Amino acid sequence: MIDGESAARGNVAQAGNGRADGALSARGNRPSGGDRREFDLPRIERAVREILIAIGEDPERDGLRDTPARVARAYAEQFAGLRQRPEDVLTTVFDADHDEMVIVRDIELYGTCEHHLLPFIGVAHIGYIPNQKGQITGLSKLARLVDVYARRPQVQERMTSQIADALVHTLEPRGVVVVIEAEHLCMTMRGVRKPGARTVTSAVRGAFRDNNVTRAEAMSLIYGRH
C-alpha cells in the first residue's frame, strides 16, 4: 500500500510488481499477436435486437428502431482500445536531459466494467522518472495511453497495472507510478447501490517502489490540490 494517505481516499488495491515482457497481451484482455479483427457492427445490431426482445420490448417501435445501430456504433468507439497497442500512442520521445519526475494528474477516463458492461468513470494520475538518457514522451501521449486500456472490457485493477507496465516496456523509465480513482456504475445503479463510492488502485514500478521518499513525493504531488 502506498503510505496512509491513499487508503483514506478509497478502496486501495496495490497492483503487483514486475516488468512487462513485450507480450503485454499475456497480462491483458486483447487478442495476442496479429489478431486485430474488424468490429462486426451487423452482429452487434442483431444481438442488441435480441436483447430488446428478451427484456420484453418491441425493437420495431419508433424509439427503438434505430437503437441496435446506435449501440453498435457506440460500442465501436467504447471498445476501440481492443484494436490499439501502447506502441501505437507512445510514439514520440524527446531527448530532454531530464532526470526528475514527470506527473500528469486528473486524466479523465471512461471505462466499461467487464462484469456487467456498465461504465466506470474517474481520473488517472501518471508519473514517471525518465530513463538514464533523460528521454521524455509527449504529455498527451500519457492521456492517450489511458484511453487505450480504458476503451475495452476492463477491470480497474488490471488497467492500472497495464498502464504502468506499458510505460516500463516502451519508455524504460527509472520509475513509474499510476493511480486511478473511479466510480463504478455497477455499484451505483445496481447491486449494493452506493453512489459516490470511489475505488482507488495503484501500481508502482522501479524507483517509486524501491524508495519510500520518492514514492511519498509523488503522492504529495498527485494529491496536492492548489
Side-chain angles (χ1 to χ4, degrees), residues 168-210:
V168 169
H169 174 69
T170 307
L171 300 181
E172 299 183 339
R174 285 175 290 170
V176 168
V177 57
V178 179
V179 178
I180 294 178
E181 309 173 62
E183 181 173 351
H184 293 247
L185 267 64
C186 58
M187 283 185 62
T188 297
M189 63 182 291
R190 59 159 300 281
V192 295
R193 297 183 183 178
K194 298 296 182 184
R198 292 173 71 83
T199 298
V200 180
T201 51
S202 64
V204 288
R205 304 289 185 265
F208 291 109
R209 173 176 288 275
D210 300 334

Side-chain angles (χ1 to χ4, degrees), residues 40-61:
D40 193 339
L41 295 175
R43 189 172 186 178
I44 295 172
E45 291 182 34
R46 293 193 298 270
V48 172
R49 179 182 171 83
E50 286 300 312
I51 289 173
L52 291 172
I53 294 172
I55 65 173
E57 264 289 2
D58 175 11
E60 294 301 324
R61 70 175 176 85

Side-chain angles (χ1 to χ4, degrees), residues 1-10 12 215 219 223:
M1 182 177 294
I2 299 179
D3 303 328
E5 60 182 343
S6 296
R9 300 181 65 87
V12 178
R215 183 167 67 250
M219 298 308 296
Y223 286 120

Side-chain angles (χ1 to χ4, degrees), residues 116-130:
H116 298 95
L117 293 184
L118 289 174
F120 60 91
I121 301 168
V123 293
H125 316 290
I126 299 178
Y128 72 98
I129 300 174

Side-chain angles (χ1 to χ4, degrees), residues 26-79:
R27 292 178 54 88
N29 50 359
R30 72 174 290 275
S32 60
D35 186 0
R36 302 175 74 181
R37 291 174 293 179
E38 292 299 317
F39 221 81
D40 193 339
L41 295 175
R43 189 172 186 178
I44 295 172
E45 291 182 34
R46 293 193 298 270
V48 172
R49 179 182 171 83
E50 286 300 312
I51 289 173
L52 291 172
I53 294 172
I55 65 173
E57 264 289 2
D58 175 11
E60 294 301 324
R61 70 175 176 85
D62 287 346
L64 292 177
R65 189 171 296 122
D66 295 327
T67 293
R70 293 191 192 101
V71 172
R73 292 193 298 270
Y75 273 12
E77 181 178 352
Q78 193 170 333
F79 299 121

